[in-house]
Amino acid sequence: MTEKLDIDHLRQWIGRSTEATDIVTAQLVKGLRATLFQEVGEPQKGDAAPFTVHWCLAQPVFPMSMLGPDGHPTRGGFLPPVPLPRRMWAGGEIEFLQPLQVGDESTRTSRIADVQIKTGSTGTLCFVSVEHSISSPRGTAIRERQDIVYREMTSSAPATAKAPPPPPKAQHRESHVSDPVLLFRYSALTFNGHRIHYDRDYVTKVEGYPGLIFHGPLQAAFIIEMAAKLHGGKAPKKFTYRGVQPLFEGTEFSINANETEAGMELWTANAEGQPTMKGTAVW
């Protein structure tokens, strides 16, 4: 039984902020390129890094004694102490102003923007929105909003399983395999201790999922890189995305895109072609 949510208490975290600094190294860029199935090369000072390299920079570091059972830091520091046990990256919005480059000292300023409680098919949900501003020596490089969702630890299946809709058709498509090594590499690059991405016993026996879960940010990174590749290497001015359903290890997944009048619709999909993350990009 999860303790009752005190929304008034949790909303006291709104406005809290923190700042962290890191350097975009050539080694980091090589590792991220390899994980995104790009040519690794030998990055030189001043070379542009992958567009979502900021998710690998200045990640919080806590001693082992301060980690919770899911591998995340115990709650109540910068993030509010939401008592719901399952935590996922639900989606967000990114504005790309200029690329980060090898050798840049980057500073991320983060602020809790909102805390809301909702009710969904799986029970109580708590959404925490975090705003980030990432700067380089040339000024602001990225502005971002991340939506984190916390939910109850329920294992019951829906009473009636609905047949999935026909998979959407894509004008552009790439496919890869969701390999456990891929997930491990991204967890290492982002210093992400969340056990759902690498601990099969934990994710199947404690959280009740059928396998390791593909990172939401990694799906978004693949989508953004495809969008840029289809637009001459230029990142979108704004990319908005949301998770639809989990993507699991050991299966083929695809990155898909359709041109629209406003920009592009993009999504990742599982082996059955069902979307797992959806996004829109405008230039």
Side-chain angles (χ1 to χ4, degrees):
M1 180 72 104
T2 302
E3 65 182 273
K4 190 176 186 302
L5 291 178
D6 184 345
I7 185 61
D8 292 333
H9 175 63
L10 297 176
R11 287 181 65 84
Q12 291 178 17
W13 265 253
I14 294 175
R16 293 197 183 194
S17 63
T18 186
E19 187 174 282
T21 300
D22 204 347
I23 295 174
V24 183
T25 67
Q27 184 68 15
L28 172 60
V29 169
K30 289 173 70 173
L32 186 54
R33 285 178 179 175
T35 304
L36 296 177
F37 300 106
Q38 299 176 348
E39 183 178 346
V40 176
E42 292 294 339
Q44 303 297 313
K45 184 177 176 63
D47 288 351
F51 295 110
T52 57
V53 71
H54 64 289
W55 287 337
C56 305
L57 296 170
Q59 293 302 305
V61 177
F62 291 86
M64 295 294 292
S65 60
M66 292 183 64
L67 300 183
D70 62 356
H72 276 307
T74 49
R75 301 166 188 177
F78 170 63
L79 290 172
V82 180
L84 300 175
R86 280 183 171 173
R87 169 179 163 177
M88 303 287 282
W89 195 324
E93 184 175 274
I94 310 175
E95 294 180 72
F96 293 99
L97 306 178
Q98 55 179 302
L100 293 171
Q101 299 174 0
V102 175
D104 280 349
E105 181 176 87
S106 171
T107 298
R108 182 186 66 244
T109 303
S110 306
R111 174 184 174 274
I112 304 296
D114 199 10
V115 180
Q116 293 188 15
I117 293 177
K118 299 180 181 180
T119 301
S121 60
T122 58
T124 302
L125 305 171
C126 182
F127 288 87
V128 178
S129 293
V130 186
E131 294 175 344
H132 302 282
S133 176
I134 294 92
S135 65
S136 76
R138 296 171 301 283
T140 303
I142 295 167
R143 285 193 289 262
E144 177 180 14
R145 187 197 77 246
Q146 292 175 2
D147 299 324
I148 303 168
V149 62
Y150 299 82
R151 66 187 185 90
E152 297 173 272
M153 191 77 76
T154 57
S155 57
S156 57
T160 56
K162 296 181 180 180
K169 294 182 179 179
Q171 297 169 340
H172 309 279
R173 182 177 185 270
E174 293 181 5
S175 62
H176 302 284
V177 174
S178 176
D179 184 274
V181 178
L182 176 68
L183 305 187
F184 168 80
R185 281 186 160 194
Y186 196 71
S187 287
L189 285 166
T190 55
F191 202 68
N192 183 353
H194 199 182
R195 292 169 66 178
I196 63 173
H197 303 305
Y198 60 86
D199 187 337
R200 190 174 289 107
D201 278 351
Y202 173 83
V203 76
T204 57
K205 296 177 182 178
V206 177
E207 298 218 7
Y209 291 106
L212 300 177
I213 298 177
F214 203 103
H215 310 68
L218 182 53
Q219 293 184 65
F222 277 119
I223 291 174
I224 290 165
E225 293 292 341
M226 171 178 256
K229 184 165 62 175
L230 294 171
H231 277 75
K234 184 179 180 181
K237 288 182 179 178
K238 183 179 290 186
F239 174 67
T240 306
Y241 64 102
R242 64 182 178 88
V244 179
Q245 62 175 315
L247 176 61
F248 297 103
E249 62 165 316
T251 63
E252 181 183 87
F253 71 96
S254 59
I255 310 128
N256 307 268
N258 283 333
E259 305 279 353
T260 66
E261 289 186 5
M264 297 195 81
E265 292 180 346
L266 304 111
W267 68 97
T268 46
N270 59 24
E272 290 74 40
Q274 295 299 322
T276 56
M277 175 174 284
K278 294 181 178 180
T280 58
V282 295
W283 279 262

